[in-house]
Amino acid sequence: MDFMRTKSVEQSIADTEEPEHKLSKDLGVMDLIVFGVGVIIGAGIFVITGTVARTNAGPAITISFAIAGLACALAALCYAEFASTVPVAGSAYTFSYATFGELIAWIIGWDLALEFTIGAAALSTSFSGYFQEVVDGSFLEVPTALGSAAEGVIDLPAVVISLLVTAVLVFGIKLSSRINQVVVAVKLLVVAAVIVFGVSHIDPDNYRPFIPEQQPAEEGTRAFLDATLISWLLGVDPAVYGLAGVVAGAAIVFFAFIGFDIVATTAEETRNPQRDIPRGILGSLAIVTALYIAVSLVITGMRNYQDIEPGDAAPLATAFDAVGMEWMGRLIAIGACIGLIVVVMILMLGQTRVGFAMARDGLLPRGLAKVHPRFGTPYIFTIITGIAVALIGGLVDLATLVNLVSIGTLFAFVLVSIGVVLLRRQRPDLERSFRTPAVTAVATASVLLCGYLMLNLTGGTWVRFVVWMALGLVVYFGYGRRHSRLAQRQS
């Protein structure tokens, strides 16, 4: 069957040397670690930490973060081997093309478009919310009609930041990296301040019980669309807190880890990808997991999880307000505002590189893969991505799509984990500068854990995911199957 045709690793690497599609190699290992830390530390640490503690796990949210971090670490080991063996833009899409074949590669590329584009748009609206909080009462205050897609006409700050980030990405990967380094430094200082100043206000009584007793979920969460898929499949009533709440919380806080796989998408722009990509992926993930656990311990120790408002958009800031440190709340808002700029930028970077790889392979119009003669970036696809993110972020309320981004990422992790084992068996001759230790055991554990987290997302999330993937199949069989470079070579 032609849609099962694979693209050899050698051909994938050879395509990167075509003059019209060649990207600049400007990144080193520190650039990659900073990219990873920059994209992971975002809305997750500033928002999800408090809300999931309140609604799902209590103080045991630290365990939820540890579970999500473990799932990412297992997948990261598989990503590291793939990216060092196949140092080509496109991440899981490129890896799947070499192992599963064209159709699965298309599905995973379409899936990554969901993760990166919708994620960037969602976080542009998060930036807008923090920006408006910072400038409230000043001459920069944004009118209601221009500050929210839900309550006004358009979310203007979300549109502006998306277009500004697009310009930065067009001007080159090194410029993006330098801006990222400055902003990541700011974010890390804010996170460090949260930990240092928060420790002195911890009340040990707030940790008791560390894992609250399991309780039935609210009535509104018992329908298929609102219940976790696993509770619906097993015919049990959904629950919060207890071990079930901790695992369900892990599926939600997984959103906070999204982005480390972006490091793999920059393999083609890294000077020494075989050495630096594994270090960049694993290093950034280790740093962020430690910070997430530390911040969640501080916040749930400062304030009883039951006192956190379910809809609190800034739980870190309100925790400090509750102990009389309003200035810290202001500092957190400024840090989040600055930090989210970089998260939007790097998510868009990931999408442009995946789309660039798909267009270079002919699954999308090949003109989209044209590289700027001066800046060495895929500027056409970057501009299209920027406009799409600006329109979605400016006109659509994306609160319901956070889980959709998580399920797309988990699905990608499952395929990469299976693919690394397949490539070991199909091509044992390939040079592997990094080899996943105990690869079969690690890959199996990654598939099982990521699959279980997917089952702990809601039925509504699964319905939206299936609809998106079905739309992708229509596009593939309508265009990509006939226009791919492999199809052209065969004919």
Side-chain angles (χ1 to χ4, degrees):
M1 293 179 287
D2 57 359
F3 55 79
M4 296 297 291
R5 54 198 170 210
T6 59
K7 182 179 180 181
S8 70
V9 173
E10 290 81 1
Q11 186 60 57
S12 294
I13 295 174
D15 287 347
T16 68
E17 297 301 322
E18 295 176 344
E20 69 271 24
H21 297 143
K22 189 172 184 177
L23 299 174
S24 298
K25 294 182 179 292
D26 293 321
L27 302 180
V29 64
M30 285 307 300
D31 296 308
L32 300 177
I33 291 176
V34 173
F35 264 128
V37 172
V39 71
I40 301 171
I41 296 182
I45 201 166
F46 294 115
V47 180
I48 292 178
T49 303
T51 55
V52 175
R54 174 65 179 86
T55 58
N56 287 86
I61 186 178
T62 55
I63 301 177
S64 298
F65 273 118
I67 293 172
L70 175 61
C72 289
L74 293 170
L77 289 169
C78 300
Y79 264 96
E81 177 170 329
F82 250 138
S84 62
T85 307
V86 193
V88 179
S91 183
Y93 158 76
T94 300
F95 310 153
S96 298
Y97 215 156
T99 51
F100 296 107
E102 187 172 277
L103 177 60
I104 300 299
W106 167 266
I107 289 174
I108 203 65
W110 190 255
D111 172 63
L112 290 174
L114 173 71
E115 174 191 349
F116 296 147
T117 303
I118 301 300
L123 291 172
S124 73
T125 62
S126 297
F127 160 83
S128 175
Y130 275 107
F131 175 79
Q132 292 178 64
E133 182 178 340
V134 170
V135 303
D136 186 36
S138 72
F139 71 97
L140 292 173
E141 183 173 349
V142 181
T144 303
L146 301 178
S148 170
E151 300 176 7
V153 179
I154 191 173
D155 191 334
L156 186 59
V159 173
V160 172
I161 197 60
S162 300
L163 296 179
L164 287 176
V165 164
T166 301
V168 171
L169 291 174
V170 168
F171 287 138
I173 189 74
K174 194 62 181 178
L175 174 62
S176 305
S177 177
R178 288 171 179 166
I179 292 174
N180 187 41
Q181 289 171 3
V182 174
V183 176
V184 167
V186 173
K187 285 200 290 187
L188 290 177
L189 287 173
V190 172
V191 172
V194 168
I195 296 171
V196 171
F197 289 105
V199 165
S200 61
H201 293 278
I202 289 177
D203 180 357
D205 289 338
N206 289 330
Y207 293 136
R208 302 188 185 99
F210 191 72
I211 302 179
E213 185 177 349
Q214 183 169 305
Q215 301 174 16
E218 297 178 0
E219 287 294 328
T221 62
R222 298 176 189 275
F224 170 75
L225 294 180
D226 297 316
T228 61
L229 184 63
I230 191 168
S231 65
W232 182 82
L233 290 173
L234 297 178
V236 298
D237 290 335
V240 295
Y241 307 127
L243 291 178
V246 170
V247 175
I252 299 172
V253 301
F254 185 84
F255 178 78
F257 287 92
I258 285 174
F260 82 82
D261 51 324
I262 293 223
V263 175
T265 71
T266 64
E268 199 171 321
E269 295 159 277
T270 303
R271 290 188 292 270
N272 189 347
Q274 287 79 8
R275 181 196 67 186
D276 293 345
I277 290 292
R279 294 179 181 181
I281 292 175
L282 298 172
S284 60
L285 188 60
I287 291 170
V288 170
T289 302
L291 290 176
Y292 276 177
I293 291 175
V295 168
S296 60
L297 279 171
V298 168
I299 296 306
T300 54
M302 289 177 62
R303 193 178 189 195
N304 191 286
Y305 72 94
Q306 293 177 319
D307 295 333
I308 300 174
E309 295 293 332
D312 191 348
L316 292 192
T318 54
F320 282 94
D321 291 342
V323 296
M325 297 180 66
E326 291 83 0
W327 64 271
M328 269 297 296
R330 187 76 170 176
L331 177 64
I332 291 169
I334 294 173
C337 183
I338 295 173
L340 286 169
I341 297 175
V342 165
V343 182
V344 174
M345 180 179 73
I346 303 178
L347 285 172
M348 287 175 60
L349 171 71
Q351 168 55 20
T352 59
R353 271 43 180 183
V354 173
F356 164 78
M358 296 174 74
R360 184 169 60 188
D361 289 334
L363 295 174
L364 293 173
R366 293 194 65 195
L368 300 179
K370 189 175 181 180
V371 172
H372 195 283
R374 177 180 175 187
F375 303 122
T377 56
Y379 68 103
I380 297 177
F381 208 98
T382 299
I383 292 171
I384 293 173
T385 299
I387 293 173
V389 170
L391 289 175
I392 298 171
L395 300 175
V396 182
D397 181 5
L398 294 172
T400 59
L401 294 180
V402 169
N403 286 347
L404 191 56
V405 178
S406 293
I407 196 173
T409 308
L410 285 163
F411 180 65
F413 287 2
V414 167
L415 287 184
V416 167
S417 300
I418 296 172
V420 75
V421 176
L422 288 180
L423 193 61
R424 281 273 190 103
R425 295 177 179 176
Q426 294 171 355
R427 296 295 308 276
D429 57 303
L430 289 174
E431 180 182 351
R432 291 171 170 83
S433 56
F434 178 88
R435 297 176 70 89
T436 304
V439 63
T440 303
V442 168
T444 301
S446 176
V447 170
L448 292 176
L449 186 51
C450 291
Y452 186 65
L453 291 178
M454 290 174 73
L455 292 175
N456 278 273
L457 293 169
T458 65
T461 300
W462 278 87
V463 169
R464 297 184 189 99
F465 179 66
V466 170
V467 169
W468 172 257
M469 300 311 292
L471 178 61
L473 290 176
V474 171
V475 176
Y476 171 73
F477 285 105
Y479 180 88
R481 182 182 180 184
R482 292 179 290 108
H483 290 86
S484 77
R485 295 181 72 175
L486 289 185
Q488 299 293 331
R489 288 168 184 157
Q490 286 180 357
S491 62

